[in-house]
Amino acid sequence: MSRPQEPHRPFFSFGNPFRMISPKGSQLSPRLLSLLNAFEETLAVRLRNLNPKNKEDVLSLTWMKCAMETLCDTHNDIKTLITDLELPVADWDEKWIDVYLDISVKLLDICIAYSSELARLSQGHLLLQCVLHNLESKTPEQFIRSRSSLDNWRQHIGSKNQRVHNCRSILDSLVGSLNLPKVKNSAKGKVLMHAMYGVKVQTVFICSVFAAAFSNSSKNLSDLVVPDTIIWSQAYSDLQTNVNMEIRQKFSCGELTVLKELVAVDSTVKKLYPLILDGLGSVEVEAFKASVADLKMGSESLSQGLDLLAKQVDGFFKIVLSGRDALLCNLRASGAVTDPMLGTSVGGEQLVR
């Protein structure tokens, strides 16, 4: 079985994550301990770097792009770790496979939901372009059209996305997967147990932050308690505390949205709308010009940020999907396997779940 086919396996049940590696039973060799420490220290650095220095950066599209980048990096790291551990698929417990296939489907669903929301928000850019185009003429008729476009934009941005709403139940199930029964007691299994726990915690945290941002609801945030005996525990605790606290503070202000670039555009729209509604007097001309310039700059920044974030979400989707493909290819080489996405086994038998 060739190594390039080794799959990404971001979620498995390797026992109680709150239990440290026991001195009893399988011992960790210096090599295995080195592999685990390197993985966890890298994760700790990654989490610390994601902790925003300025609270205003929380839920900016730039910060969210960085968050998704770190998630992709960690999932790639776990693939490398699995390859270094040399755990062939033939040695996997059936429960590991079932858990992975089930949770990877949930991650794909989350990616699809987030992509749909980013596409929906990007559509609002067209309405803003119409506003800017109509304002160039400064005629009463065009001003009326501008007001209509601004009304449509605010209505569009304030509407709900059912796919994002459905993410809450998916996130709840992911949180429930953090602590599953132990399935194998081996040195390599213990290394994977700790490493996979880190991947799961980071994934749940970032996905919950995205869900909160896109749904405008702090109910989607997750507050996870991580054992302080883990290398990256403090880095994660600091990140979760700072980010979640700032997000909840933003929600308490009752804004239309909490995305930084979207808030900036909405603030400009609020300034511009009464100027269009009441007509321009000699005193208001400069304010009007400044607001139009701000709207143009803000809408372009928003559009670019949404595009870049959408590419990162798509990249994560491909990582998860390629992991499934690699797993299924390896399992086909060793016999039939069921796939929850297909509803039947590779060998053609009906799936029983």
Side-chain angles (χ1 to χ4, degrees):
M1 193 175 297
S2 62
R3 284 190 179 183
Q5 290 182 317
E6 285 291 335
H8 296 275
R9 291 176 285 175
F11 292 94
F12 283 97
S13 53
F14 287 99
N16 187 346
F18 297 92
R19 181 182 303 162
M20 288 300 292
I21 294 180
S22 172
K24 299 179 180 179
S26 301
Q27 295 292 314
L28 292 188
S29 67
R31 174 177 173 274
L32 291 180
L33 190 58
S34 176
L35 287 174
L36 176 60
N37 286 341
F39 176 87
E40 295 199 321
E41 286 169 359
T42 298
L43 179 57
V45 171
R46 199 165 281 147
L47 295 172
R48 281 194 291 269
N49 290 340
L50 192 57
N51 206 338
K53 296 180 176 62
N54 186 341
K55 66 179 183 179
E56 295 301 321
D57 291 334
V58 175
L59 291 191
S60 69
L61 294 175
T62 299
W63 182 86
M64 293 176 72
K65 174 178 172 289
C66 290
M68 189 54 65
E69 283 178 342
T70 65
L71 190 56
C72 291
D73 290 341
T74 300
H75 278 254
N76 282 326
D77 282 354
I78 203 69
K79 178 183 178 181
T80 301
L81 177 63
I82 291 170
T83 300
D84 292 340
L85 288 175
E86 299 178 339
L87 268 178
V89 173
D91 290 348
W92 290 10
D93 189 289
E94 184 178 348
K95 293 181 180 178
W96 301 5
I97 298 171
D98 289 342
V99 169
Y100 172 70
L101 291 176
D102 178 63
I103 296 183
S104 63
V105 168
K106 292 180 172 62
L107 289 180
L108 293 176
D109 287 341
I110 286 177
C111 288
I112 291 172
Y114 294 167
S115 294
S116 72
E117 178 63 8
L118 290 168
R120 189 185 71 82
L121 293 175
S122 293
Q123 290 172 0
H125 181 66
L126 298 177
L127 293 172
L128 294 178
Q129 291 298 99
C130 290
V131 172
L132 292 169
H133 174 74
N134 289 327
L135 289 178
E136 288 178 356
S137 67
K138 300 181 183 178
T139 63
E141 294 80 8
Q142 297 297 81
F143 270 36
I144 292 174
R145 292 178 182 176
S146 297
R147 292 201 301 268
S148 177
S149 294
L150 287 178
D151 287 335
N152 291 336
W153 181 80
R154 295 208 85 213
Q155 184 178 5
H156 177 76
I157 295 302
S159 61
K160 302 298 183 181
N161 185 333
Q162 187 59 39
R163 282 182 171 175
V164 173
H165 177 76
N166 294 339
C167 286
R168 183 174 180 181
S169 61
I170 299 176
L171 288 169
D172 287 343
S173 67
L174 292 180
V175 172
S177 75
L178 291 176
N179 185 18
L180 294 174
K182 191 174 182 180
V183 297
K184 190 173 183 178
N185 182 23
S186 69
K188 292 181 179 181
K190 291 185 180 203
V191 170
L192 281 173
M193 176 185 71
H194 281 253
M196 293 296 184
Y197 178 64
V199 178
K200 291 192 285 186
V201 168
Q202 184 189 15
T203 302
V204 168
F205 169 71
I206 291 177
C207 287
S208 70
V209 168
F210 274 51
F214 292 148
S215 66
N216 278 342
S217 174
S218 60
K219 293 180 180 179
N220 285 319
L221 292 176
S222 295
D223 296 292
L224 305 177
V225 178
V226 175
D228 57 12
T229 49
I230 297 178
I231 292 175
W232 47 267
S233 172
Q234 190 61 51
Y236 175 77
S237 179
D238 291 343
L239 174 64
Q240 178 178 256
T241 298
N242 292 338
V243 170
N244 285 3
M245 181 171 58
E246 183 58 29
I247 292 175
R248 289 188 171 104
Q249 178 62 34
K250 290 179 182 293
F251 281 124
S252 68
C253 297
E255 294 289 339
L256 175 68
T257 177
V258 291
L259 293 175
K260 182 179 180 180
E261 291 81 355
L262 203 53
V263 169
V265 172
D266 187 53
S267 177
T268 301
V269 168
K270 289 178 179 177
K271 295 177 182 178
L272 187 59
Y273 193 86
L275 296 177
I276 298 174
L277 189 64
D278 300 333
L280 296 177
S282 58
V283 180
E284 297 173 327
V285 171
E286 292 304 318
F288 172 78
K289 291 181 179 179
S291 293
V292 171
D294 288 344
L295 182 61
K296 184 176 182 179
M297 182 172 61
S299 64
E300 288 301 320
S301 176
L302 173 62
S303 179
Q304 292 174 9
L306 291 172
D307 287 344
L308 292 174
L309 180 55
K311 290 179 181 178
Q312 285 299 322
V313 173
D314 183 61
F316 182 58
F317 178 91
K318 290 177 179 177
I319 287 176
V320 176
L321 187 60
S322 65
R324 290 182 60 88
D325 289 344
L327 171 61
L328 293 173
C329 284
N330 283 331
L331 290 172
R332 286 188 185 100
S334 60
V337 58
T338 57
D339 182 357
M341 288 188 72
L342 301 177
T344 59
S345 70
V346 174
E349 299 176 0
Q350 185 64 35
L351 173 65
V352 177
R353 298 184 68 181

